[in-house]
Each structure stands twice: as structure tokens, then as C-alpha cells.
Amino acid sequence: SDTVLRLTGEKRKQSIVIPALERVETVMKDLGRDPARVLDVGAASGAFLAEWKKRHPAAQIFGIEPGADAAAKCRAAGVT
């Protein structure tokens, strides 16, 4: 079960999170911005912000997630 979830999560990361993150990076670059703080509203599991932090270690990341279970996953991933 954990293996399936891990594999599914990795597929979602590659097909959804990484392309979204790259679009945001492109827009920020085009605008001449390098955000020091990133807020994700509807952060779900925090996957986008966790990946952002890997690529931009100096950035402060914040997530807003109303769902209790998803918010707990965000916190577990280091998203405040």
C-alpha cells in the first residue's frame, strides 16, 4: 500500500507538480523576479511547495489548506 502510494505520488509529481512549478519559474523569470517568499493557496499535500523549496532553498514557503488531512501532510512536508 505504501509502495503504491509512493509510486502514484511520484507519477503525480512528474505529471502535475513539476510542470506547474516550471511554469511559475518561467513567469517569475520573465518578470525579473526571484521570490523570497511563496504562498500556495489550496496547498493540498504541500508537494508544490516542497519541490519549490528543493529548487529554491533560500525561499520561505507558506501554504494555506483548509482540509485537515491535507494540512497535516503539508506540515509533515515542512510547509508552514
Side-chain angles (χ1 to χ4, degrees):
S1 172
D2 287 341
T3 302
V4 172
L5 290 174
R6 214 174 13 259
L7 293 173
T8 303
E10 185 60 31
K11 282 181 116 175
R12 289 181 58 114
K13 176 179 160 183
Q14 294 302 321
S15 66
I16 298 171
V17 174
I18 299 298
L21 187 137
E22 290 173 347
R23 283 191 301 273
V24 172
E25 286 176 324
T26 298
V27 168
M28 292 292 104
K29 183 180 177 187
D30 290 349
L31 293 172
R33 305 266 193 239
D34 185 16
R37 291 181 301 269
V38 177
L39 171 65
D40 185 0
V41 178
S45 67
F48 178 90
L49 290 172
E51 189 64 29
W52 186 274
K53 187 70 171 175
K54 286 181 193 173
R55 293 178 179 219
H56 307 276
Q60 291 179 299
I61 56 173
F62 305 93
I64 296 174
E65 175 51 54
D69 291 342
K73 288 179 183 176
C74 282
R75 286 189 293 279
V79 177
T80 57

